[in-house]
Amino acid sequence: MMGPTHALSAGVAFLAVATPMSHYVHHLTPATAAVGTVVAAGAGILPDFDHRQATPARAFGPLSAALAWTIGKLAGGHRHGTHSIIGTGVFVALAAAATLNPWALAATLWLCMGLAVRALWKHPPNRPNGKLDYRDVAGLIHAAIAAYIAYQLVHSGLDMGVVPWAVAVGYLVHLIGDSMTEMGVNWLWPHPRRYRIASIDTGKTVEKRVVVPALYVGLAATVYLTYPKWGPVLLHTLQPTTG
Ligand SMILES: [Zn+2]
């Protein structure tokens, strides 16, 4: 599955569960729901950080390439440790622990939001194997901008308790998505058995022309349907204070 499919489906899923989540699990405001949606989209490609050629490894130039190499080694290769219940637990626990420290929280936001942007806005394209080139500079600039936004968000006074929940949703949606492909997912890693609930290896053309546009429609529909819940509140917060 391609990065945009994972990121979009994770964002759509987070928006879809935002209202019940706000009622039963963790209170959300329109602003924190928006943060959660972007973080979930980024967490939606986080499991593929075990693969040096996938989108996450290319998000921040040499920084993310080194991180992907390390995670790949720790997780035993592509679609092993990161694509399992243990992998999910580790990343969600890290995100939960990160909410206790502003720097760790900023780093988590930096990673997830940066990945989300990189998955949906694939310019410049990933460089081919091998030497460093101008695309690594673009990756580093992207990393710096993402770091600035993450820093600002941490100091914005918003309740960032949403972050681990968003990571959990995005991460699980990725594993469910991969479970629908031919290769399947070894949910019970280190046990080697792979589980598959469908085998829709869509191929890049179908994914680009059908799945990704359908997800954009889903995103628009979810925003439209949930608008009465958050629209007026958001408009109210954005209104300039008069007098
Ligand atoms: Zn994957």
Side-chain angles (χ1 to χ4, degrees):
M1 256 182 198
M2 297 168 7
T5 314
H6 281 306
L8 279 167
S9 52
V12 170
F14 183 86
L15 274 178
V17 301
T19 304
M21 180 185 281
S22 184
H23 278 293
Y24 301 111
V25 183
H26 185 89
H27 178 71
L28 300 174
T29 65
T32 58
V35 171
T37 304
V38 182
V39 169
I45 58 167
L46 206 48
D48 285 345
F49 233 128
D50 60 1
H51 187 328
R52 289 169 70 190
Q53 309 306 330
T55 308
R58 301 299 171 69
F60 302 130
L63 294 177
S64 47
L67 198 56
W69 183 85
T70 313
I71 293 176
K73 285 274 172 227
L74 290 175
H78 184 44
R79 282 206 193 182
H80 285 93
T82 58
H83 288 60
S84 69
I85 293 168
I86 292 178
T88 311
V90 168
F91 277 97
V92 173
L94 284 173
T99 58
L100 303 175
N101 176 285
W103 290 103
L105 181 62
T108 309
L109 287 168
W110 168 75
L111 186 65
C112 290
M113 297 185 128
L115 289 183
V117 171
R118 187 68 179 116
L120 297 177
W121 187 39
K122 293 170 87 74
H123 295 285
N126 290 334
R127 70 176 157 82
N129 252 336
K131 299 187 195 94
L132 298 181
D133 69 12
Y134 77 97
R135 283 168 275 219
D136 291 295
V137 179
L140 289 173
I141 293 170
H142 175 212
I145 296 170
Y148 174 76
I149 293 172
Y151 180 86
Q152 292 294 339
L153 262 179
V154 168
H155 295 87
S156 66
L158 285 177
D159 163 34
M160 288 294 155
V162 65
V163 170
W165 296 105
V167 169
V169 170
Y171 207 99
L172 284 172
V173 168
H174 180 111
L175 298 194
I176 293 167
D178 275 356
S179 298
M180 293 181 188
T181 63
E182 199 62 51
M183 192 176 168
V185 163
N186 57 350
W187 286 86
L188 300 181
W189 181 86
H191 192 281
R193 169 142 187 223
R194 288 179 176 274
Y195 295 85
R196 206 171 66 192
I197 47 178
S199 57
I200 39 167
D201 265 342
T202 49
K204 290 215 162 168
T205 317
V206 181
E207 223 170 317
K208 263 184 207 156
R209 302 249 165 95
V210 182
V211 178
V212 170
L215 284 168
Y216 272 114
V217 172
L219 193 63
T222 318
V223 168
Y224 178 76
L225 290 173
T226 57
Y227 179 80
K229 298 242 181 256
W230 54 265
V233 188
L234 189 63
L235 286 179
H236 184 77
T237 33
L238 293 179
Q239 243 162 32
T241 42
T242 46

